[in-house]
Amino acid sequence: MKRIGVFVCHCGTNIAETIDVKKVVNELSNYPWVVYSDDYVYMCSDPGQKLIIESIKKHKLESIVVACCSPTLHETTFRQTVKIAGLNPYQCEIANIREQCSWVHTEKNEATLKAIKIVKSIVEKVLRNESLQPIKVPITKRALVIGGGISGIQAALDIANGGYEVILVEKSPSIGGHMIQLSETFPTLDCSQCILTPKMVEVSKHPNVKLMTYCEIQEVTGYVGNFKVKILKKPRYVDPDKCTLCDECTKVCPIVVPNEFDLGLTGRRAIYIPFPQAIPPSYLIDPEACPGFLPIACGKCADVCEANAIDFDMKPEIIEKEVGAIVIATGFDLYEKKNLTEYSAEKHPDILNSLQFERLLSASGPTLGKILRPSDHKEPKEIVFIQCAGSRDPELHNAYCSKICCMYTAKHAMLYKHHVPDGKAYIFYIDVRSAGKGYEEFVQRAVEEDGVVYLRGKVSKVFQENGKLKVWGVDTLTGKNVEIDADMVVLAMAIRPSKGAEELAKKLKITTDRDGFFSEIHPKLRPVETVTSGIFIAGVAQAPKDIPESVSQAGGAASKVLALFSSKELYHHPIIAEVNDELCSGCKLCISLCPYEARKFDEKKRIVRVEEILCEGCGACIAACPSGVTQQRNFTDQQIYSMIKTLLEENDKNQVSS
Ligand SMILES: Cc1cc2nc3c(=O)[nH]c(=O)nc-3n(C[C@H](O)[C@H](O)[C@H](O)COP(=O)(O)OP(=O)(O)OC[C@H]3O[C@@H](n4cnc5c(N)ncnc54)[C@H](O)[C@@H]3O)c2cc1C
């Protein structure tokens, strides 16, 4: 029989306050097969791990149980520890006496008895544990980055500079994301385009980067190191390699539709370039707006195109790629104006959302940087900025804080005052959240140097009266109602996950949070990893954040990819399902239940096999197998029966003694 060691952690006072740790140690020291037991205040610390290593060597332990916190936190830590001592890592098991005991009980005696039961049952399990070996998996050292905003560009550049190939997939016709629409950026007020366009060029020319714009992810299969991706390439109907950007085509195109880049403040033709600095630098035809190609209804653009770049016969293509890691950087969309009926947001052209205002401020925008009202092109002399438009409003809109709006609204008001020094800028706010390097100073500058008026309170209503936009609000600091006759209103709309994020999450088999942003696996310790290994997140795709934070997170995600690619091969954990070939009846029930598509029917032998690399060891097939021929490694029926038997025996013992 095995020689087992038990190590009980105090977890500071997390465990020791509710559980009599010494009693657990004493009880376990008398349990069969346990030849050594001990406790320590922080078992996961260096001295705690040393205690385990030395005890394994001194007492010739063959398996150990660490009674501590959840295995999700420190199972890997302690498996590494026993490996250093020369044991197989799978001879270490965790008895969770924190989350499953000390944190959920207050009565010390009862909690101690329960902890003893938990630890004994885990001793029964580890007694029967096999020494498993991780499964080796080959790795494709090529990354896929989804989303070509600043986060995706940065992640792609960092991976490419690390020496690996990157496929950067962007759904719109150009990379750049929202940052390319911005005017100047807080807190330094440097020009957004001046910082971003060199990066856009760099990524497009990088020898390790394959840029795929106007493309969408259709299907993702496989697993870490070996993903297979189907990418839909939408037809541009203009060949970027031939297009000379002469602009003759737009001059003859008879169709005008709202320009997405200027958020409808200007129009564009059916054949268009998204913006002058677009990458790739090429025109494309919007098939929804064009009068039609089959048969060609207009064709004027093709007639004037001397480069013969227009090809009405282009078809959508499916391109298949193999990659080892994926970074999601799909960013955000603004909460739609139509949701804010209380502010008549959709009804009046002079009620703008924050990105529309950015376009007005931009030197390359519809008014060439002049602040003019869309309705009559007059300079607004009184302007009201409303923060938290759709954020921090759990009853009507989104409960969360969109985080960046306090800062960009301060920027908007400040830039407005730079453009219209005799104008008045009011900001309605709930709180001003300006945590960040130089951020508080930036807001102070807006108030002190530029005379922006901050009004603490919410706006109840915005409506039109006598050619003005009436803003009814309250100043909670003076307790007075406020009424402003504004020429323009700017709404700091909530930041929402980009359209299609939920669908993409399903394709990637990862999770989103309750607001629809992609979820990280651990908010503190693994903020760029997702539940599926090999898939990482960066930028606003995870939660609202500004440019510096997006760039840092993109670097974090890229470094995770580089770390993954630095290994020769990957290792898949071996605690997976296995089938007894002799007894499997081939009923196939397990195939439909497996969420990882790890079950395959062997036509020749008429049995079901486990694809080891795909199996995540969730146990669904084991519970469902009607003949019990599927077992989970180190979670066999025999192990589970012996654990339950121990718990029942301990219950009986405790009842007799009480
Ligand atoms: C009005 C306003 C002003 C701002 N001002 C500042 C400022 O002054 N300073 C500052 O630091 N920050 C500012 N920000 C924040 C800044 O815009 C963001 O931090 C930054 O854009 C985040 O970049 P991202 O790449 O994560 O997302 P995005 O910029 O949204 O880029 C995401 C990209 O992914 C693409 N995409 C989406 N879904 C898919 C898909 N399924 N497949 C392929 N591609 C996809 C999108 O088309 C887009 O190109 C401002 C934000 C707003 C709204």
Side-chain angles (χ1 to χ4, degrees):
M1 268 301 173
K2 275 183 181 170
R3 295 172 64 80
I4 296 175
V6 171
F7 298 87
V8 187
C9 179
H10 295 223
C11 195
T13 53
N14 269 298
I15 291 174
E17 201 169 64
T18 321
I19 292 170
D20 182 344
V21 168
K22 294 286 177 203
K23 191 168 173 183
V24 179
V25 171
N26 286 339
E27 268 286 322
L28 265 295
S29 65
N30 295 320
Y31 198 68
W33 310 292
V34 176
V35 293
Y36 182 73
S37 62
D38 208 343
D39 63 291
Y40 188 68
V41 62
Y42 293 111
M43 203 60 83
C44 56
S45 67
D46 191 46
Q49 292 189 43
K50 263 195 192 135
L51 170 75
I52 295 177
I53 294 169
E54 281 161 14
S55 309
I56 290 173
K57 289 182 181 161
K58 188 167 166 200
H59 300 282
K60 300 196 169 31
L61 303 177
E62 293 163 287
S63 295
I64 70 154
V65 173
V66 188
C68 56
C69 53
S70 159
T72 53
L73 210 63
H74 281 312
E75 187 178 72
T76 315
T77 314
F78 291 119
R79 288 199 165 147
Q80 289 298 335
T81 310
V82 300
K83 199 174 165 193
I84 295 168
L87 289 190
N88 178 286
Y90 298 93
Q91 293 300 345
C92 166
E93 286 291 345
I94 304 293
N96 182 354
I97 59 165
R98 193 179 75 174
E99 282 83 344
Q100 289 178 2
C101 193
S102 69
W103 274 2
V104 288
H105 295 291
T106 46
E107 210 285 308
K108 196 160 186 172
N109 195 34
E110 295 280 322
T112 306
L113 290 177
K114 181 173 168 185
I116 292 168
K117 277 195 280 186
I118 294 174
V119 183
K120 284 184 179 173
S121 74
I122 300 292
V123 170
E124 290 291 333
K125 178 182 187 300
V126 83
L127 184 66
R128 293 163 179 86
N129 264 14
E130 277 181 66
S131 290
L132 302 173
Q133 293 303 330
I135 301 155
K136 283 186 187 168
V137 188
I139 174 167
T140 306
K141 295 186 179 182
R142 182 184 304 115
L144 167 72
V145 176
I146 310 173
I150 181 61
S151 307
I153 292 174
Q154 187 63 48
L157 280 173
D158 287 349
I159 300 168
N161 287 334
Y164 297 102
E165 273 178 60
V166 183
I167 300 163
L168 175 55
V169 171
E170 165 58 51
K171 74 174 174 186
S172 64
S174 169
I175 54 170
H178 287 101
M179 189 176 162
I180 198 69
Q181 291 174 296
L182 305 182
S183 53
E184 293 165 42
T185 53
F186 66 75
T188 46
L189 291 188
D190 41 0
C191 145
S192 187
Q193 301 228 357
C194 311
I195 346 175
L196 185 58
T197 46
K199 272 198 183 286
M200 288 165 64
V201 174
E202 188 185 346
V203 82
S204 70
K205 294 204 182 315
H206 201 294
N208 283 345
V209 179
K210 178 163 176 54
L211 200 57
M212 295 184 71
T213 52
Y214 214 36
C215 287
E216 277 175 39
I217 304 298
Q218 261 215 331
E219 189 186 287
V220 180
T221 52
Y223 45 90
V224 57
N226 298 276
F227 294 106
K228 287 193 173 63
V229 190
K230 282 189 185 159
I231 303 164
L232 168 72
K233 188 174 175 210
K234 294 175 275 187
R236 299 176 83 100
Y237 304 106
V238 178
D239 184 343
D241 295 333
K242 290 186 184 164
C243 177
T244 58
L245 305 173
C246 69
D247 199 38
E248 291 303 315
C249 51
T250 63
K251 291 179 191 156
V252 294
C253 178
I255 305 295
V256 180
V257 290
N259 182 345
E260 300 84 354
F261 188 70
D262 285 334
L263 297 110
L265 294 177
T266 57
R268 64 156 171 85
R269 302 286 161 170
I271 187 163
Y272 69 108
I273 184 162
F275 50 94
Q277 303 76 19
I279 300 261
S282 170
Y283 284 67
L284 74 155
I285 298 177
D286 172 357
E288 308 277 308
C290 181
F293 324 144
L294 283 173
I296 296 169
C298 163
K300 287 183 181 159
C301 53
D303 294 342
V304 295
C305 181
E306 284 186 5
N308 277 330
I310 294 164
D311 178 359
F312 292 120
D313 293 327
M314 274 189 190
K315 298 273 176 300
E317 269 178 77
I318 300 288
I319 295 164
E320 294 191 23
K321 294 278 177 192
E322 290 185 7
V323 297
I326 300 174
V327 178
I328 308 164
T330 48
F332 68 98
D333 280 314
L334 283 189
Y335 195 48
E336 288 182 45
K337 273 198 207 168
K338 66 174 183 219
N339 297 318
L340 285 180
T341 44
E342 59 270 42
Y343 298 156
S344 320
E346 250 199 335
K347 284 194 191 150
H348 202 283
D350 299 330
I351 303 180
L352 304 180
N353 73 23
S354 44
L355 275 174
Q356 287 178 314
F357 195 67
E358 285 285 341
R359 295 309 301 144
L360 283 194
L361 288 169
S362 172
S364 62
T367 51
L368 303 176
K370 288 201 178 101
I371 313 285
L372 301 176
R373 287 164 37 123
S375 62
D376 56 9
H377 293 269
K378 285 192 183 146
E379 197 172 65
K381 293 294 180 193
E382 281 199 75
I383 182 162
V384 171
F385 296 90
I386 303 178
Q387 289 192 179
C388 301
S391 305
R392 301 181 68 193
D393 190 347
E395 262 134 48
L396 292 177
H397 304 290
N398 302 291
Y400 58 88
C401 165
S402 290
K403 196 173 175 183
I404 49 179
C405 325
C406 287
M407 287 308 296
Y408 74 58
T409 303
K411 172 184 81 173
H412 285 173
M414 191 188 269
L415 292 177
Y416 165 72
K417 288 288 289 179
H418 293 180
H419 284 81
V420 189
D422 61 336
K424 279 192 184 146
Y426 303 91
I427 298 179
F428 279 93
Y429 70 104
I430 303 179
D431 311 290
V432 177
R433 297 183 168 177
S434 53
K437 198 172 173 179
Y439 286 13
E440 180 57 21
E441 294 84 338
F442 185 81
V443 174
Q444 286 308 319
R445 223 174 98 194
V447 178
E448 285 162 17
E449 288 178 25
D450 298 300
V452 173
V453 179
Y454 272 81
L455 294 163
R456 186 170 197 218
K458 284 206 83 164
V459 168
S460 58
K461 204 172 170 185
V462 181
F463 58 99
Q464 202 181 5
E465 198 177 87
N466 301 329
K468 291 277 184 183
L469 290 165
K470 283 245 179 233
V471 180
W472 282 358
V474 64
D475 180 352
T476 54
L477 295 181
T478 59
K480 288 193 177 141
N481 288 338
V482 182
E483 201 179 306
I484 299 171
D485 284 340
D487 298 315
M488 186 184 271
V489 171
V490 180
L491 302 172
M493 303 299 283
I495 301 285
R496 294 289 307 151
S498 64
K499 279 178 205 84
E502 279 303 330
E503 230 178 276
L504 185 63
K506 279 189 198 135
K507 287 179 190 160
L508 293 162
K509 299 184 190 74
I510 60 168
T511 49
T512 50
D513 61 26
R514 63 179 178 178
D515 301 311
F517 293 100
F518 291 96
S519 300
E520 63 286 335
I521 193 161
H522 193 288
K524 281 165 261 174
L525 301 180
R526 297 168 73 186
V528 300
E529 292 162 76
T530 66
V531 283
T532 302
S533 33
I535 303 187
F536 307 97
I537 27 179
V540 184
Q542 186 223 13
K545 48 179 82 75
D546 56 28
I547 297 162
E549 228 189 314
S550 298
V551 169
S552 321
Q553 206 190 14
S559 77
K560 290 278 170 195
V561 173
L562 294 176
L564 193 75
F565 288 177
S566 67
S567 330
K568 266 200 190 131
E569 50 205 354
L570 299 175
Y571 293 95
H572 186 58
H573 65 85
I575 301 177
I576 56 167
E578 56 188 2
V579 180
N580 184 335
D581 290 9
E582 308 276 297
L583 300 176
C584 176
S585 66
C587 73
K588 300 186 193 169
L589 198 60
C590 52
I591 296 181
S592 57
L593 282 172
C594 177
Y596 301 99
E597 294 166 19
R599 290 295 195 147
K600 298 277 170 315
F601 189 66
D602 183 335
E603 292 288 348
K604 220 163 141 197
K605 292 197 168 176
R606 312 294 300 162
I607 59 165
V608 181
R609 295 199 175 284
V610 177
E611 294 270 325
E612 292 197 335
I613 287 166
L614 294 179
C615 178
E616 287 295 333
C618 70
C621 56
I622 292 143
C625 180
S627 40
V629 298
T630 286
Q631 293 284 302
Q632 179 103 311
R633 289 182 191 155
N634 281 354
F635 274 102
T636 61
D637 285 352
Q638 206 201 350
Q639 284 178 293
I640 291 163
Y641 289 144
S642 63
M643 290 168 77
I644 296 171
K645 191 165 158 268
T646 309
L647 292 173
L648 294 176
E649 283 170 2
E650 284 295 310
N651 277 352
D652 290 346
K653 218 164 73 186
N654 293 342
Q655 266 170 11
V656 170
S657 62
S658 63

